[in-house]
Amino acid sequence: MRELLDSIGYDSWVLLALLVIPALAALGIWVHGAMLGDNEARDRASGTPRQIALWAFIIEFVVSLGLWWSYDPSTAAMQATLDLSWIPSWGVRFALGIDGISLMMVLLTTFLMPLAVLGSWTSIRLKRHSYYALLLLLTTGMLGVFVARDLFLFYVMWEMMLVPMYFIIGIWGGERRIYATMKFFIYTMVGSMLMLVAIVYLGIKAGGAAGPDFAYESVRRMAGSGGAMTLFGAVVPASLLMFLAFSLAFAIKVPMFPFHTWLPDAHVEAPTAGSVILAGIMLKMGTYGFLRFALPFFPDAAMHPAVRTTFLALGTIGVLYGALVAMVQPDFKKLVAYSSVSHLGFVMLGIFALTTQSIQGALMIMINHGISTGALFLLIGMIYERRHTREIAAYGGIARVVPLFAALLTFVSLSSIGLPGTNGFVGEFLVLLGSFQTTPYLATLATLGVIFAAAYLLWAIQRILFNRLHRVENEHIPDLNARELALMVPLVAVILWLGIYPAPVLRRMEASAEQLVTQVSGVAPATSVARAGNP
Amino acid sequence: MNFMTPLDLSIPSQLTIALAPDLLLMGGAMILLLWAAWRPEGVRHQRTIGTACIALIALTAVVIGWFIYRNATATQGPIAVDRFRWIADLVLLLATAGTIALSMDYNEREGMMAPEAHVLILLASSGMMLLAAARDLMVVFLGIETMSVATYVLAGMNRRSPRAAESAMKYFLLGAFSTAFLLYGMALVYGATGATNISVIGDRAVQYGLTGSPLLLTGVALMIVGFGFKVAAAPFHMWAPDVYEGAPTPITAYMAAAVKAAAFAAFLRIWYEAFTPVYPSWHNAIWWLAAVTMAVGNIVALRQRDLKRLLAYSSIAHAGYLLVALTVNSAAGSEAFLFYAFVYTIATLGSFAVVVALGEAGERSLNVDDYAGLWTVRPWLAIAMAVFMLALLGFPVFGGAGFFAKWYVLKAALQVPSPHWKLAVVLVLTSVVSAGYYLYVVMVMFMRPRLAGAVVPARSRGLTGFVIAASAVLLIALGFFPERLVRLTRGSAPLSALSVPAASSSVPLPLTRPADR
């Protein structure tokens, strides 16, 4: 496989292609829309946009799949690099590249996007052209965030993905969509704007007299060093302020308790595909940002005992708080939204515990959460299309009416809980194992989160699927159709694969995770998961 | 003509060459004025004159392009011959051409058939070009008056509208008031230094050790007030929303874009060339002026529902961002200013063009809520407006070059020995506030349903449509490829008087600076 990929020069164009394909497809859809003109009826009937989007995403996935083989897991260096000149006067380059962390995020994105299109297949009826075009542009932005090797480019991509999501929630969302989308946008912008100041500052510092330099590596070399600023009379190390500026942007995106309040609104009001993308991919950008920028740039600030304890504690609070709040939600979508807060709390715990295992575990949860929660949102979308309600109390006993749906929902919920043999188990186990070495008390507390997760999800499933079938309108819900089944099959397969044999994934992330631990703690880690065998 | 040697401005013929673009525009405008008066008012005649005006602007731009191409320089004199002037001129001419194009459609719809209106815009622009070139306080004053008197008339051009009359009156009174401040300040500066040439002022301030002179500092303070009024910086901004609301929309665009840019160009040049020696004395004042302007403009704009008023407060906020570039007082600051002015001009012109396109006869439908559901009836108009709003908000890709403009200012603020990072934080936080109103407009257009009984706006007329489309396309294109524009602005700092090589943007001024506040 590698020879084949090498023979077509795969590494030199793949990342650029991944960014360009969706953008071109989006243009194509808009051109098609413009050709249809103002004819509303034809616009509604047209199935072309979703076809174009689906095929573009499938091509995108196939193209990205080559990375799985072309990626060399033995080194943590950036691979498949591309470095083009963009704005030389500002020292800005169009530099792309991936390491083990980005690789998995890119594959997760390209894997979920076709499913998101299938999930919107019939539920989006208005303005389809713009909807699918925005989904495609959003993908360019998201992939750009994961592959950018230049801070300026990273920031452009980071802001770029905000606008399509703003429109997707605001136009095709639920009843309180406008409130939700404004809240989403402004929350995210507050964080990212301070990050912008930090990026400009770092770029100027890294470049020195030769003009700014935003290349990832040069910034990383310079970022943590020296400098102090006066803030209200107190002298604060510049690296701490920069770290906080980056952290705020990422903590809001994660979202880390107490910055999570935008999430339930945005997730609940977004259309199905929007929720899938938000939960599956966009939340990961926060944790990805910590792994890629905040920690390696400012190891001293991040590993300062007070800062580190704060983040660990907030992560643990997130785990417990998210789970407890999820338990009392009457709305199933909101329940899943709060469960995201809980899961991402685990990720934060794993990242700041800073052992190779806990970081690999955090990465595994990032992948698993994308797949399991994405699947849950897709299933909620399917049942919502049939009954137009997400109230848990409105259902009950529908396992007898829709057996396929019930089986899938149960299975996906179990994976989200972290049942051994499914993907969820691997990540949470690794995080707890890894963080137990550094923060035993918090790790113990976080274990409760796993139990709470079982409680809220199983209880919800019981109330939806089992119990008594006490409502007439639930007696004739049609079961899943072929399209819906087809879109669930890959998800189920991946859940099982990652649960039973995660070693290939772990192996590809290992070198990068180790390098991160070395960079941040200054000590080479002793243990490694893949070499110690499968957990 | 040989530009290898600098033009000697003490020789009248060479001074004339240095003033060629300004003279061309002014003289051409005079001839057009005669032509305009030659024939009776009418739709056709109005359009003919408008087209001729735009042709004259294009010709002037070509002459300026030639000066840039030949890299013309000049000795010390009342007129500057440098990059800063030429690029500021191009920004002003762009705004002028856009305004005239909009006016041709707008005046026809509103029944204002006087073709002299277009020529007046040209005369105001020639004053502006003089401002961009001025290197002598007398020329600055000449430019300000030429620009202002024409603009007072333009604001009241629609004689049937009481609001326009109010606007013109207010503009005139406050303009006169602020000019008095400015003139008094200039007089005091002259009293302190005995010079009106701004580079001589700078030299003498150093030579005679005037950095603590009360006379000079009072003069500087009065000039800050005067320019504060001209560029509508808080707390001297109160006139702007009322004037912008009442004036005909194309003229509002003109005031928000060109008038502001021209006043800023002179402001910047005087402060960079003449007052750099007294930087520690005015630094705090301008710092606070910038911070307060950004805060007031953005926060008050949140409550505006009339689109013209909303854009007026937005332009106040942008004056604040531009003041940041002035506070920095480095080569990077003036480059950032030119880039910002260019992008801001396009975005402002475009958004007012949308207001022109959607305003029905008599300027109804100016409330933001009248735009509800615009996307479903006029999608391209809504998309263009969204681009302008995102550009003013400073967003990449979808807002085109808007992000780069803000970025350039931020970079300038942080690229000095003692970075102005607190001002940078104020800038970005007030930008977040501005999302509250820019996005509100976008939200209303795309996410609200069309109001029941709302009429579908007529298709926009040709020139208005062209201005909208060209602005949006230009913004987006610059959002991908800003390098050329950046190159054009590089090395344009008007700092030649201070022995600072203007070639590199990273070279700070050789002056001790107070620590950032």
Side-chain angles (χ1 to χ4, degrees):
Chain A
M1 196 70 189
R2 272 205 75 145
E3 291 77 33
L4 175 69
L5 291 171
D6 284 344
S7 69
I8 51 172
Y10 180 77
D11 270 358
S12 57
W13 50 260
V14 56
L15 294 182
L16 189 62
L18 288 181
L19 296 185
V20 169
I21 292 169
L24 284 183
L27 276 184
I29 289 179
W30 264 323
V31 168
H32 179 260
M35 276 169 12
L36 277 187
D38 284 344
N39 192 331
E40 187 103 352
R42 270 166 74 192
D43 179 42
R44 271 174 203 236
S46 171
T48 320
R50 63 185 182 196
Q51 299 277 1
I52 299 177
L54 181 65
W55 284 108
F57 279 129
I58 289 176
I59 293 170
E60 177 95 344
F61 178 59
V62 171
V63 169
S64 72
L65 210 54
L67 285 173
W68 178 260
W69 288 281
S70 84
Y71 182 80
D72 175 9
S74 62
T75 163
M78 286 283 175
Q79 303 186 19
T81 53
L82 178 86
D83 197 346
L84 302 172
S85 171
W86 186 21
I87 316 174
S89 301
W90 292 342
V92 173
R93 303 192 63 79
F94 191 85
L96 311 176
I98 54 164
D99 66 355
I101 302 170
S102 329
L103 168 73
M104 290 305 153
M105 292 298 113
V106 167
L107 290 177
L108 177 70
T109 308
T110 53
F111 173 70
L112 280 179
M113 289 314 293
L115 304 178
V117 170
L118 281 174
S120 338
W121 205 251
T122 50
S123 59
I124 300 299
R125 297 210 176 79
L126 285 172
K127 295 275 178 192
R128 281 181 178 160
H129 287 90
S130 298
Y131 177 82
Y132 289 106
L134 286 170
L135 273 190
L136 286 157
L137 287 179
L138 180 63
T139 311
T140 298
M142 292 190 300
L143 289 173
V145 167
F146 289 134
V147 302
R149 259 192 324 129
D150 181 289
L151 262 75
F152 188 99
L153 181 66
F154 162 76
Y155 188 82
V156 166
M157 292 297 185
W158 176 270
E159 293 274 58
M160 177 188 164
M161 69 186 182
L162 202 51
V163 174
M165 198 36 125
Y166 167 75
F167 283 114
I168 287 174
I169 300 176
I171 297 176
W172 294 276
E175 220 138 81
R176 288 168 66 245
R177 59 183 193 275
I178 291 175
Y179 169 76
T181 197
M182 286 298 257
K183 195 169 172 183
F184 162 74
F185 196 102
I186 294 197
Y187 255 76
T188 320
M189 199 177 162
V190 172
S192 49
M193 276 304 199
L194 287 176
M195 180 169 75
L196 175 63
V197 177
I199 289 179
V200 178
Y201 182 88
L202 290 176
I204 291 170
K205 205 167 125 187
D213 181 0
F214 295 95
Y216 177 77
E217 277 304 320
S218 23
V219 171
R220 195 180 64 75
R221 273 196 295 279
M222 290 294 296
S225 63
M229 294 173 162
T230 34
L231 190 67
F232 304 116
V235 179
V236 189
S239 64
L240 179 66
L241 290 181
M242 299 290 140
F243 172 74
L244 290 178
F246 272 89
S247 297
L248 181 67
F250 299 141
I252 288 172
K253 203 85 183 174
V254 167
M256 202 172 75
F257 179 88
F259 306 107
H260 64 280
T261 54
W262 63 270
L263 177 133
D265 289 309
H267 278 210
V268 171
E269 298 306 324
T272 300
S275 311
V276 172
I277 295 164
L278 267 174
I281 306 162
M282 286 177 93
L283 299 191
K284 309 310 178 311
M285 296 189 175
T287 46
Y288 173 81
F290 275 106
L291 290 170
R292 167 76 67 233
F293 300 104
L295 290 185
F297 280 3
F298 317 101
D300 295 338
M303 286 301 117
H304 187 279
V307 175
R308 189 179 183 189
T309 314
T310 312
F311 275 91
L312 285 169
L314 287 177
T316 315
I317 293 174
V319 169
L320 299 176
Y321 172 86
L324 288 173
V325 177
M327 215 176 284
V328 295
Q329 293 305 319
D331 181 323
F332 194 41
K333 206 169 178 182
K334 213 161 192 168
L335 184 150
V336 178
Y338 273 107
S339 85
S340 295
V341 177
S342 180
H343 285 289
L344 270 293
F346 268 115
V347 179
M348 291 307 293
L349 185 68
I351 291 174
F352 276 86
L354 203 77
T355 57
T356 311
Q357 283 170 340
S358 72
I359 285 187
Q360 279 189 304
L363 287 165
M364 279 307 286
I365 300 186
M366 283 158 72
I367 300 168
N368 297 335
H369 176 261
I371 289 163
S372 303
T373 309
L376 278 176
F377 276 126
L378 285 167
L379 285 166
I380 294 170
M382 293 170 193
I383 197 76
Y384 180 80
E385 252 186 90
R386 291 166 167 74
R387 280 279 281 113
H388 298 287
T389 175
R390 293 183 295 252
E391 291 286 312
I392 294 176
Y395 298 98
I398 59 169
R400 267 152 281 176
V401 191
V402 282
L404 277 174
F405 174 80
L408 284 168
L409 184 64
T410 316
F411 179 76
V412 173
S413 300
L414 288 177
S415 95
S416 179
I417 293 164
L419 186 80
T422 64
N423 59 350
F425 175 74
V426 184
E428 281 172 12
F429 182 78
L430 280 175
V431 165
L432 291 174
L433 193 70
S435 51
F436 206 81
Q437 297 160 12
T438 35
T439 57
Y441 296 109
L442 288 175
T444 316
L445 264 179
T447 317
L448 284 176
V450 183
I451 301 168
F452 291 157
Y456 62 76
L457 268 175
L458 290 179
W459 189 37
I461 291 180
Q462 185 199 1
R463 284 178 294 166
I464 292 173
L465 298 179
F466 306 111
N467 283 358
R468 235 161 39 75
L469 183 61
H470 62 289
R471 288 189 185 238
V472 196
E473 51 283 29
N474 286 340
E475 280 168 17
H476 299 291
I477 307 175
D479 206 351
L480 302 187
N481 58 31
R483 170 182 59 85
E484 289 163 334
L485 270 180
L487 90 93
M488 290 309 293
V489 167
L491 288 165
V492 171
V494 171
I495 286 175
L496 283 174
W497 170 50
L498 290 180
I500 295 166
Y501 189 57
V505 175
L506 289 171
R507 195 172 64 237
R508 281 172 174 77
M509 300 187 303
E510 189 181 344
S512 303
E514 265 175 18
Q515 191 199 29
L516 182 79
V517 174
T518 320
Q519 275 172 0
V520 179
S521 66
V523 188
T527 54
S528 89
V529 182
R531 259 172 247 152
N534 279 326
Chain B
M1 237 174 299
N2 179 16
F3 280 159
M4 298 315 280
T5 52
L7 291 165
D8 186 352
L9 297 184
S10 55
I11 304 170
S13 66
Q14 304 233 357
L15 184 62
T16 313
I17 292 168
L19 275 172
D22 309 61
L23 292 175
L24 175 66
L25 193 68
M26 217 173 273
M30 293 299 174
I31 295 168
L32 284 174
L33 195 60
L34 288 179
W35 185 11
W38 198 257
R39 298 187 51 182
E41 291 184 0
V43 181
R44 284 271 310 275
H45 189 44
Q46 189 254 121
R47 287 209 167 251
T48 316
I49 296 291
T51 315
C53 286
I54 291 178
L56 181 59
I57 290 169
L59 190 63
T60 316
V62 168
V63 173
I64 290 173
W66 186 72
F67 273 94
I68 296 178
Y69 175 69
R70 297 302 300 263
N71 236 337
T73 49
T75 55
Q76 299 284 337
I79 293 291
V81 180
D82 57 13
R83 271 287 187 78
F84 184 80
R85 172 187 172 190
W86 302 132
I87 294 162
D89 278 353
L90 288 181
V91 171
L92 298 172
L93 289 178
L94 189 75
T96 311
T99 307
I100 293 178
L102 289 181
S103 288
M104 283 157 73
D105 282 351
Y106 179 90
N107 291 4
E108 189 179 323
R109 188 181 75 203
E110 300 291 324
M112 293 151 60
M113 293 307 168
E116 289 85 355
H118 305 315
V119 185
L120 267 175
I121 297 178
L122 282 191
L123 288 172
S125 296
S126 61
M128 290 174 187
M129 285 174 60
L130 217 49
L131 267 180
R135 212 170 191 183
D136 190 294
L137 294 182
M138 297 321 290
V139 182
V140 170
F141 187 71
L142 206 63
I144 287 223
E145 284 304 281
T146 315
M147 169 181 91
S148 302
V149 172
T151 322
Y152 300 146
V153 180
L154 286 168
M157 203 67 204
N158 191 353
R159 277 165 305 171
R160 279 179 291 267
S161 159
R163 277 191 307 174
E166 182 199 329
S167 153
M169 194 64 194
K170 218 171 220 169
Y171 193 36
F172 172 65
L173 288 178
L174 274 156
F177 187 61
S178 66
T179 312
F181 271 100
L182 194 63
L183 199 56
Y184 195 35
M186 288 175 178
L188 292 183
V189 170
Y190 175 68
T193 61
T196 53
N197 187 301
I198 59 177
S199 55
V200 178
I201 292 174
D203 292 343
R204 293 211 177 147
V206 179
Q207 276 168 22
Y208 302 168
L210 291 174
T211 46
S213 151
L215 201 57
L216 180 63
L217 295 185
T218 317
V220 172
L222 286 172
M223 284 177 75
I224 289 181
V225 175
F227 274 116
F229 271 109
K230 290 289 174 203
V231 303
F236 314 112
H237 66 283
M238 301 306 247
W239 58 274
D242 293 343
V243 172
Y244 284 17
E245 186 187 6
T249 312
I251 302 305
T252 311
Y254 187 60
M255 288 194 282
V259 173
K260 184 164 284 194
F264 248 113
F267 197 0
L268 196 112
R269 191 190 286 279
I270 296 173
W271 257 251
Y272 272 41
E273 283 200 47
F275 297 149
T276 301
V278 286
Y279 175 81
S281 315
W282 56 260
H283 168 252
N284 277 355
I286 301 272
W287 195 100
W288 279 106
L289 198 64
V292 171
T293 307
M294 291 189 279
V296 168
N298 280 319
I299 291 169
V300 180
L302 286 176
R303 294 198 55 93
Q304 305 305 320
R305 286 299 170 260
D306 180 289
L307 207 66
K308 275 167 92 175
R309 282 188 87 86
L310 188 148
L311 288 171
Y313 277 103
S314 134
S315 87
I316 292 169
H318 284 274
Y321 304 145
L322 286 169
L323 279 170
V324 173
L326 198 145
T327 317
V328 174
N329 202 31
S330 71
S334 85
E335 292 164 16
F337 160 75
L338 286 177
F339 191 93
Y340 201 106
F342 190 81
V343 172
Y344 165 77
T345 298
I346 302 171
T348 307
L349 202 64
S351 47
F352 277 107
V354 174
V355 177
V356 171
L358 290 175
E360 293 145 46
E363 296 256 273
R364 284 173 284 123
S365 313
L366 285 182
N367 199 297
V368 179
D369 296 316
D370 294 328
Y371 285 32
L374 184 67
W375 187 43
T376 51
V377 286
R378 283 278 170 272
W380 292 108
L381 219 48
I383 289 169
M385 189 63 165
V387 169
F388 301 138
M389 291 292 116
L390 288 171
L392 290 172
L393 176 56
F395 243 72
V397 184
F398 297 96
F403 168 67
F404 294 145
K406 214 164 243 178
W407 156 273
Y408 214 165
V409 171
L410 268 182
K411 174 173 157 295
L414 295 174
Q415 204 175 27
V416 280
S418 57
H420 295 66
W421 63 273
K422 282 184 192 165
L423 204 54
V425 169
V426 174
L427 194 158
V428 295
L429 289 185
T430 50
S431 300
V432 174
V433 173
S434 73
Y437 58 92
Y438 290 132
L439 282 185
Y440 181 81
V441 177
V442 177
M443 183 272 283
V444 165
M445 290 188 302
F446 284 84
M447 301 172 195
R448 288 257 178 89
R450 192 88 189 137
L451 294 175
V455 285
V456 176
R459 281 199 179 279
S460 40
R461 290 150 192 257
L463 279 173
T464 316
F466 175 77
V467 171
I468 295 172
S471 309
V473 169
L474 198 58
L475 275 178
I476 297 274
L478 279 175
F480 286 106
F481 309 105
E483 176 66 15
R484 295 218 143 224
L485 187 57
V486 178
R487 286 253 179 89
L488 204 61
T489 62
R490 284 201 104 184
S492 61
L495 290 162
S496 48
L498 283 154
S499 72
V500 174
S504 162
S505 64
S506 58
V507 177
L509 291 180
L511 279 168
T512 47
R513 280 151 194 289
D516 182 36
R517 304 190 35 85

